[in-house]
Amino acid sequence: MAISSNKRENEKKRQQKKLDKQKRKEEKKITGKSDFDDMIAYVDAHGNITSTPPELQDKEEDIEQEDIIISIPKKDKEEILVLKGRVEHFNEAKGFGFIKDLASVNKYFFHISMAPENIAEGNIVTFTLEKGNRGMNAVNIELV
């Protein structure tokens, strides 16, 4: 069985690739540099990619412990926002109702203990908001 010329050429190409690969391997051993060293990158304190390790980079400035703020700054004055609305629904027997804000489409629950005694449906009132169990509640209700 004779080997065709195409098979001989393919075999020569494989042998040549094998020799080239061996030569490149020997060159890397001599220079002592590997491809992995070229792939390593470091990230500095500002998020920039650099080729120098972090311990060799210049140190920026020292941060004093007193300069670190851990909490949320407090507000100086709590502004109380007074809203204006109309009593949409009021159930006198159960002692609760809903006020629709005139500036928006929001409705707020209120209890009779936070409203004047003579409140009725359709009254225009001013009120403030307070967080309740199921959302914002109208409190400090006064008739206009």
Side-chain angles (χ1 to χ4, degrees):
M1 179 166 158
I3 299 178
S4 68
S5 63
N6 195 18
K7 285 185 179 180
R8 269 189 240 131
E9 288 175 14
N10 288 342
E11 183 65 30
K12 284 181 184 179
K13 286 179 184 177
R14 271 189 292 196
Q15 290 296 328
Q16 187 62 37
K17 283 184 182 179
K18 196 173 183 181
L19 289 173
D20 291 342
K21 186 176 180 181
Q22 186 66 28
K23 286 180 185 177
R24 286 193 306 267
K25 203 175 196 181
E26 289 173 7
E27 287 175 9
K28 285 181 186 178
K29 282 184 181 179
I30 292 170
T31 59
K33 191 172 184 182
S34 67
D35 290 336
F36 182 73
D37 291 336
D38 295 336
M39 291 189 286
I40 292 180
Y42 302 97
V43 179
D44 66 3
H46 303 290
N48 300 323
I49 297 174
T50 63
S51 59
T52 57
E55 60 269 1
L56 300 178
Q57 294 175 353
D58 294 335
K59 290 284 183 179
E60 296 271 332
E61 58 190 53
D62 289 336
I63 299 172
E64 297 296 325
Q65 190 173 12
E66 295 83 27
D67 295 341
I68 300 172
I69 300 172
I70 298 176
S71 65
I72 299 171
K74 294 181 181 179
K75 292 182 181 177
D76 292 337
K77 292 183 180 178
E78 192 71 28
E79 289 186 24
I80 299 173
L81 184 63
V82 178
L83 301 171
K84 194 172 186 179
R86 185 168 60 87
V87 178
E88 284 284 308
H89 172 74
F90 179 61
N91 188 336
E92 196 170 332
K94 294 188 179 180
F96 73 90
F98 291 93
I99 298 175
K100 182 177 180 185
D101 187 10
L102 294 177
S104 66
V105 294
N106 296 333
K107 291 184 181 179
Y108 301 105
F109 171 84
F110 73 92
H111 191 265
I112 190 66
S113 63
M114 297 294 174
E117 290 182 22
N118 56 351
I119 194 165
E121 284 186 26
N123 288 353
I124 303 294
V125 294
T126 59
F127 61 97
T128 58
L129 295 177
E130 182 180 88
K131 185 156 175 65
N133 291 340
R134 295 185 181 177
M136 299 303 282
N137 294 342
V139 295
N140 303 327
I141 302 168
E142 297 177 3
L143 293 173
V144 174

